[in-house]
Amino acid sequence: MAYDPYKALYLHIPFCVKRCGYCDFATAAVPRDAAAIDEYVESLVMDIRRASKEEKLGAIETVYLGGGTPSYIGMRRLSMLLYALSMSMHLEPEIECTMEANPESLTAPMVRDIWALGVNRLSIGVQSFDDEVLRILGRAHDAEAARAAVRAAQKRFENVSVDLMCGIPGQSAESFAESVREAVALGANHVSVYPLTIEPHTPFDAAVMAGKMPEPDEDVEAAAMEEARCILEGAGFHRYEVASYARPGFESRHNTAYWTGAPYLGLGRSAVTMTQNSARRMRVQDGRVVDDLDARQMAAEDLMLGMRMACGVSDAQVARAAAAIDDAASTAASSGSMTPGSEIGSVLAAFDELASLGLVKHADGRWRPTDAGWLCGNELYGRLLDLAP
């Protein structure tokens, strides 16, 4: 059975000026003139050309250059990548092409040049507009550099996103709220808000284990996320995903592709590719299969991913998932491969249960997450994934 065409393309740039204490991404801090960066970019260009020859790029609707810090590798290397892209696929204005950037390496000439080469959305890793909080995080920029980067981006880009973090040790509630207000005042049209998580084997993890840093307080993070919602919705943004706010028309189409189960191609070290058809979904990373789902598990995962978004899932999608999950469970039970009564409860029963817990609500033909559902994401998402373990 043929696989569905890829709709999204992710290019991983695994280099930074320094690694932040909380980061567990596949990145490395290397000198900007390192030969390793040139070799990597040349290899990535070959990967792009190969994907084009294999007719993998013909249906791409969104492109995302992430990292790491794509802006760190400089304009000469970015030009090579973007030129290869433009020669290998239809990098037209209707294709959303996002590039991540950090304030310390985003310059006015770079803004001008990447715009001319087809990038039409910039995502800037600010994290905070408070110098002390930035110092705690180990960021390479200060607050003024963050402001300057956003202003520079707006010389060419209307579609500018700002990333912020909450729950950081030493960050007061007012400091976080002021950063959210500043992102709005600077004119960002998209804001992502992420609670700090302590990832294993990071410097922050070692500091927590040694008692030198407190673990993030979930109640503090929940209060911060609620404060962000109030500020941003009051400023005309809408929360379209658990951590993402946008003015109308500025939602991230690339990230939405992930949450709506669109197949995506990942190129570069540790980039993940998701290939699927109606019967199977596979995720492959560095040549190794890391996920292999059947139709039942795909249906459950799509329900879970859908509940990350404010629009939730439609009654029609729930009905299709029930057909895939419940019918398969009934068949297994009747054939004797599953003992009677051991099959997972029906999809509708799961949603009714989640509604009784206040985690979802049903209106206008759709099931949507509540604010409580987003705050208790592990419970909400876990219950849906458990429909097809």
Side-chain angles (χ1 to χ4, degrees), residues 239-268:
R239 188 181 192 177
Y240 70 98
E241 188 266 342
V242 61
S244 304
Y245 297 80
R247 296 192 186 280
F250 291 94
E251 302 82 0
S252 169
R253 289 167 50 202
H254 185 85
N255 288 340
T256 299
Y258 292 153
W259 303 322
T260 53
Y264 51 85
L265 175 64
L267 299 179

Side-chain angles (χ1 to χ4, degrees), residues 19-181:
R19 279 181 63 82
C20 300
Y22 56 86
C23 180
D24 73 335
F25 293 164
T27 64
V30 299
R32 187 172 299 201
D33 59 357
I37 302 180
D38 292 313
E39 293 165 2
Y40 183 89
V41 170
E42 290 166 8
S43 176
L44 193 52
V45 166
M46 295 301 294
D47 288 343
I48 293 169
R49 291 175 176 166
R50 186 179 304 111
S52 178
K53 288 178 181 178
E54 294 172 355
E55 299 184 346
K56 294 178 177 178
L57 306 182
I60 295 294
E61 298 175 355
T62 67
V63 177
Y64 197 102
L65 283 74
T69 310
S71 55
Y72 175 64
I73 68 173
M75 200 57 234
R76 178 179 61 82
R77 293 156 173 150
L78 287 173
S79 295
M80 288 176 60
L81 283 176
L82 293 168
Y83 180 73
L85 266 179
S86 67
M87 296 299 291
S88 302
M89 60 172 285
H90 300 293
L91 197 59
E92 304 295 333
E94 63 268 19
I95 302 295
E96 180 191 86
C97 184
T98 301
M99 190 183 95
E100 290 183 343
N102 277 351
E104 71 277 358
S105 54
L106 184 67
T107 64
M110 179 180 289
V111 167
R112 179 195 64 217
D113 292 346
I114 61 174
W115 171 261
L117 286 166
V119 176
N120 52 30
R121 182 175 184 270
L122 267 179
S123 178
I124 303 176
V126 170
Q127 315 314 345
S128 174
F129 288 101
D130 183 323
D131 282 335
E132 177 58 20
V133 173
L134 292 170
R135 184 194 65 77
I136 293 168
L137 288 174
R139 301 292 289 175
H141 66 271
D142 60 14
E144 188 49 45
R147 297 182 191 101
V150 175
R151 294 188 186 107
Q154 290 168 328
K155 296 293 184 182
R156 287 290 189 279
F157 291 81
E158 184 181 14
N159 201 343
V160 176
S161 178
V162 166
D163 285 355
L164 298 175
M165 292 181 69
C166 64
I168 302 162
Q171 179 188 47
S172 68
E174 180 53 34
S175 168
F176 172 71
E178 185 54 36
S179 287
V180 178
R181 286 191 286 265

Side-chain angles (χ1 to χ4, degrees), residues 359-384:
L359 304 182
V360 304
K361 59 186 176 183
H362 186 263
D364 303 321
R366 301 190 72 86
W367 289 94
R368 294 179 172 87
T370 62
D371 288 341
W374 273 334
L375 290 173
C376 302
N378 288 342
E379 187 173 353
L380 170 56
Y381 308 142
R383 179 67 181 91
L384 294 175

Side-chain angles (χ1 to χ4, degrees), residues 321-387:
I325 295 170
D326 294 339
D327 290 356
S330 297
T331 300
S334 62
S335 68
S337 60
M338 180 183 291
T339 57
S342 67
E343 63 268 23
I344 299 297
S346 75
V347 172
L348 282 174
F351 276 98
D352 286 339
E353 175 190 332
L354 290 167
S356 71
L357 296 171
L359 304 182
V360 304
K361 59 186 176 183
H362 186 263
D364 303 321
R366 301 190 72 86
W367 289 94
R368 294 179 172 87
T370 62
D371 288 341
W374 273 334
L375 290 173
C376 302
N378 288 342
E379 187 173 353
L380 170 56
Y381 308 142
R383 179 67 181 91
L384 294 175
L385 287 177
D386 284 344
L387 288 166

